[in-house]
Each structure stands twice: as C-alpha cells, then as structure tokens.
Amino acid sequence: MFPSNNNETKKLISHAYNEVSKDLFGIGTLSMKVSIEANVLTLQAKHRRAPRSIVLEGEVPSLKQEVDFHLSLLYKKKLRQKLEERTDWDIEAVLRDYDAATQRSFTNIVLRET
C-alpha cells in the first residue's frame, strides 16, 4: 500500500529519520522536507555536524570519508527497518546521498509497485 501524501505520513517519516540520526550520532537534523510522489518518498535533510566528525576530518580526512560511507549504509538499513516496523509499505530500495561539506542528504525510498 502506498502512503498518502498528508502531514501525518510526512511526520511519521520525519520522526523515523530523526530517530535514526539520534541513534547513530546523538543529535537530530536541523531541517527536513519530505515529499511523496507516487511510489517514491524523498527526504531532504540538513544535518548538524557531530563534534567527533569535525575532529576526525581534521586529523584523518580519508578515514572520515570511509566512516561517512559506512554510516550512510547503516543509516539506510536502520531507516528501512524502522519504516517496515511502523508501516505496511513494501520497500524496494532506500537510496541515500550525503554531502559532508554541506551536511545535506537526500534519501529516496522506493516502494515496490504491485
């Protein structure tokens, strides 16, 4: 079943996304915009910079980049799990791109069409 394009659905998605952020980084997002178009949910987020991240970036930039990559994979996995627990959506894919320089991310959740 596809989610309805209403405020309650968008709140549910935003809360799940922020919970994952808090679980992984100890802090939530600065801003979030959710849009729903047919079977694709798009989340645009502006993240807070974690203090650990600033230190790591200054000392070992290549390690920070690798950590960001793996955290993004973990983020997608945890977000998918949360949404599957709370909804009846048949999630086909969670795609996420994160830009460390601007702290912005775009996440697309693709629902399987039946």
Side-chain angles (χ1 to χ4, degrees), residues 48-64:
R48 299 174 199 264
R49 180 159 282 202
R52 297 181 289 251
S53 183
I54 296 167
V55 171
L56 191 56
E57 188 173 52
E59 294 296 320
V60 190
S62 61
L63 179 57
K64 182 192 182 286

Side-chain angles (χ1 to χ4, degrees), residues 3-11 36:
S4 57
N5 191 355
N6 65 36
N7 287 338
E8 287 304 309
T9 302
K10 291 177 180 180
K11 270 175 40 178
I36 301 171

Side-chain angles (χ1 to χ4, degrees), residues 62-85:
S62 61
L63 179 57
K64 182 192 182 286
Q65 190 172 23
E66 187 173 340
V67 168
D68 283 347
F69 172 77
H70 288 285
L71 283 172
S72 194
L73 293 176
L74 186 55
Y75 210 109
K76 293 188 301 184
K77 178 182 174 184
K78 287 186 166 290
L79 180 60
R80 181 182 194 134
Q81 288 171 340
K82 279 199 184 294
L83 290 175
E84 286 177 339
E85 288 169 6

